[in-house]
Amino acid sequence: MGKGTVEQLQKIITDSQNIVFFGGAGVSTESGIPDFRSVDGLYHQQWDYPPEVILSHSFFMKNPEEFYRFYRAKMLCEGALPNEAHKKLAALEKSGKLKAVITQNIDNLHQMAGSRNVLELHGSVYRNHCMKCGEFYDFAYVKNSRGVPRCARCGGIIKPDVVLYEEALDSRVLQESVRAISQADVLIIGGTSLSVYPAASLIDYFRGRHLVVVNKDSTPRDNMAELVISQPIGEVFRQIQE
């Protein structure tokens, strides 16, 4: 393992035709989406519970009104746009080099940038369904609703297609992610501390040649990586040529 340079990453990307990207919150913070895990004074002023409690299945079921107050304020970031990392990853997919984006984010920014094969481990704020009849509702419907959003068809409570604490990850998405990682020649881990399980354990399926970590802070996998670049991911990808 060694501290890596963008030039070294460029060479790995240039030489490979089978790259998979595994990303987390740090990919989206440069688009202005806050990482809710970095607990600041704001939470203590406005909410009586830590984010991990509010964003749990049992809290949603017991206290949907308070859940939605937090969810609208902190999770529904209207107007966020893809940054250089999202755009470059989409371009790498278009060129045939990047086979999949596996993301822990729920903000749809990879798709907005043009990525097609996006595996959303934790779901998406752009999909919402009635818990009673299954009717679909979009981002705007939930964002513009008041209190607990209800189904116009049957009056049931609408729930975001977001994996809350205490909920299992989607088995199809997990299987696809395992397949992509296990077949990849290059795995680039970006913008994630690799502290959220079971998502972080997917890295164990990588059998390829080049493991790269691009993250501002150190991660538990740095010592296994061939290349570690401790810079903001948008800045790094801005310099990459497809």
Side-chain angles (χ1 to χ4, degrees), residues 119-163:
L119 296 163
E120 297 171 312
L121 293 171
H122 297 149
S124 171
V125 295
Y126 281 77
R127 296 188 302 270
N128 308 274
H129 288 92
C130 171
M131 294 174 76
K132 225 168 164 182
C133 73
E135 184 77 4
F136 171 86
Y137 289 92
D138 63 9
F139 179 97
Y141 187 90
V142 173
K143 179 80 175 171
N144 300 326
S145 61
R146 293 280 166 267
V148 179
R150 297 246 169 206
C151 177
R153 200 194 203 175
C154 76
I157 290 177
I158 294 168
K159 184 177 183 290
D161 280 6
V162 168
V163 179

Side-chain angles (χ1 to χ4, degrees), residues 12 17 22 31 48 56 76 83 86 92 102 110 139 159 161 171 186-187 199 208 219 233:
I12 289 172
Q17 291 299 317
F22 180 94
S31 290
D48 300 332
S56 69
L76 298 183
N83 60 49
H86 298 107
L92 286 169
I102 300 166
H110 285 292
F139 179 97
K159 184 177 183 290
D161 280 6
S171 57
V186 177
L187 179 61
T219 81
I233 191 157

Side-chain angles (χ1 to χ4, degrees), residues 23-198:
V27 181
S28 293
T29 48
E30 290 173 65
S31 290
I33 292 183
D35 174 3
F36 73 84
R37 266 187 199 83
S38 45
V39 176
D40 52 29
L42 187 67
Y43 295 122
H44 303 302
Q45 293 154 26
Q46 286 190 42
W47 286 278
D48 300 332
Y49 308 90
E52 282 82 359
V53 172
I54 298 174
L55 295 173
S56 69
H57 178 82
S58 50
F59 191 92
F60 174 83
M61 298 306 286
K62 276 190 293 219
N63 199 343
E65 190 122 359
E66 183 67 5
F67 169 89
Y68 268 111
R69 196 165 77 85
F70 178 87
Y71 182 78
R72 277 192 199 93
K74 300 300 283 185
M75 312 298 281
L76 298 183
C77 301
E78 219 167 7
L81 296 170
N83 60 49
E84 286 300 321
H86 298 107
K87 291 174 190 169
K88 203 57 62 86
L89 288 164
L92 286 169
E93 183 189 67
K94 207 172 175 190
S95 72
K97 287 180 169 291
L98 186 78
K99 303 305 180 194
V101 167
I102 300 166
T103 181
Q104 299 170 78
N105 297 334
I106 55 177
D107 50 40
N108 209 46
L109 289 176
H110 285 292
Q111 290 94 327
M112 287 182 200
S115 288
R116 291 178 175 222
N117 190 22
V118 182
L119 296 163
E120 297 171 312
L121 293 171
H122 297 149
S124 171
V125 295
Y126 281 77
R127 296 188 302 270
N128 308 274
H129 288 92
C130 171
M131 294 174 76
K132 225 168 164 182
C133 73
E135 184 77 4
F136 171 86
Y137 289 92
D138 63 9
F139 179 97
Y141 187 90
V142 173
K143 179 80 175 171
N144 300 326
S145 61
R146 293 280 166 267
V148 179
R150 297 246 169 206
C151 177
R153 200 194 203 175
C154 76
I157 290 177
I158 294 168
K159 184 177 183 290
D161 280 6
V162 168
V163 179
L164 302 176
Y165 288 95
E166 305 162 354
E167 292 180 345
L169 271 59
D170 182 284
S171 57
R172 185 199 63 80
V173 175
L174 271 178
Q175 283 166 7
E176 284 289 302
S177 301
V178 167
R179 193 183 59 75
I181 288 173
S182 61
Q183 292 175 2
D185 182 38
V186 177
L187 179 61
I188 302 172
I189 298 169
T192 172
S193 59
L194 292 175
S195 59
V196 178
Y197 283 82

